[in-house]
Amino acid sequence: MDDQRRPATRTPHAGPGHSRSLQQAQEITSPTQRPDRAGRTLVTRNHEVIRRWAEERGARPATMPGSEYNGRLNVLRFDFPGYGGAVLRPVGWDEWFETFDDRRFRFLYQEQRADGSPSNFNRLERSRHEDR
C-alpha cells in the first residue's frame, strides 16, 4: 500500500499522560502521506514533512531571544510572515532540528481546517517515552 493510501494510524505510545490531540492525531511518516480528512490533527517527527509544512506557509525556524540555555536553543517557534506579537530570533534549520531531536519533540499540526481553508495550527509536544 502506498503512503498516500495508508490508513490513519494512532501515534505509538500515545496513552495516558499525552494530550488528547496527540492521542487522536494521525501519524504522518513521509511527505507523500496525506490526512484522511480536512481538519485532522496530524503528528510527525519527520524533518522533511515539518520543513515542507513551514515553508509552504512562509514560516521560518526561530527561537525566543534570551531563551537559550548553556548555549543551546530552549524555545522552538516558527516565525510566520505578517503575524505580530513576540519578537523572534531566526535560527537555521539544522540547529532547530537538533533541538527538536534532542528534546524528543513531536510536531502536531494541521494542513487544513475542517472547512478546507489552510491552517497554521502547530504545537510541539515532548514524547514521554524513550521512543524515537
Side-chain angles (χ1 to χ4, degrees), residues 60-65 68 73 79 87-92 95-96:
R60 305 298 305 159
T63 190
M64 296 292 294
E68 293 83 0
L73 297 182
D79 191 2
V87 175
L88 300 174
R89 180 176 69 79
V91 298
E95 187 177 18
W96 197 94

Side-chain angles (χ1 to χ4, degrees), residues 3-131:
D3 283 342
Q4 291 182 2
R5 297 185 182 268
R6 183 176 296 160
T9 56
R10 286 204 167 270
T11 304
H13 307 290
H18 287 284
S19 74
R20 184 178 174 115
S21 295
L22 183 57
Q23 292 176 23
Q24 296 178 354
Q26 176 185 343
E27 186 171 20
I28 301 294
T29 58
S30 80
T32 60
Q33 276 183 277
R34 297 290 169 246
D36 57 9
R37 62 179 162 75
R40 181 75 191 257
T41 299
L42 309 171
V43 63
T44 193
R45 291 188 45 76
N46 183 287
H47 293 192
E48 188 177 347
V49 169
I50 297 167
R51 187 172 183 158
R52 182 176 293 174
W53 179 91
E55 290 178 346
E56 285 173 355
R57 289 153 178 81
R60 305 298 305 159
T63 190
M64 296 292 294
S67 68
E68 293 83 0
Y69 181 75
N70 286 336
R72 303 203 57 192
L73 297 182
N74 189 33
V75 177
L76 297 180
R77 295 283 189 265
F78 284 116
D79 191 2
F80 290 90
Y83 286 84
V87 175
L88 300 174
R89 180 176 69 79
V91 298
W93 279 110
D94 290 342
E95 187 177 18
W96 197 94
F97 281 125
E98 182 179 349
T99 301
F100 178 86
D101 290 340
D102 287 349
R103 296 189 60 203
R104 297 187 318 275
F105 279 133
R106 292 172 189 251
F107 183 68
L108 274 77
Y109 67 107
Q110 280 182 322
E111 290 287 343
Q112 299 175 318
R113 295 181 179 104
D115 67 6
S117 63
S119 175
N120 285 350
F121 167 77
N122 73 94
R123 183 173 73 216
L124 295 174
E125 283 202 12
R126 192 166 186 183
S127 174
R128 293 200 170 101
H129 296 280
E130 291 300 318
D131 57 324

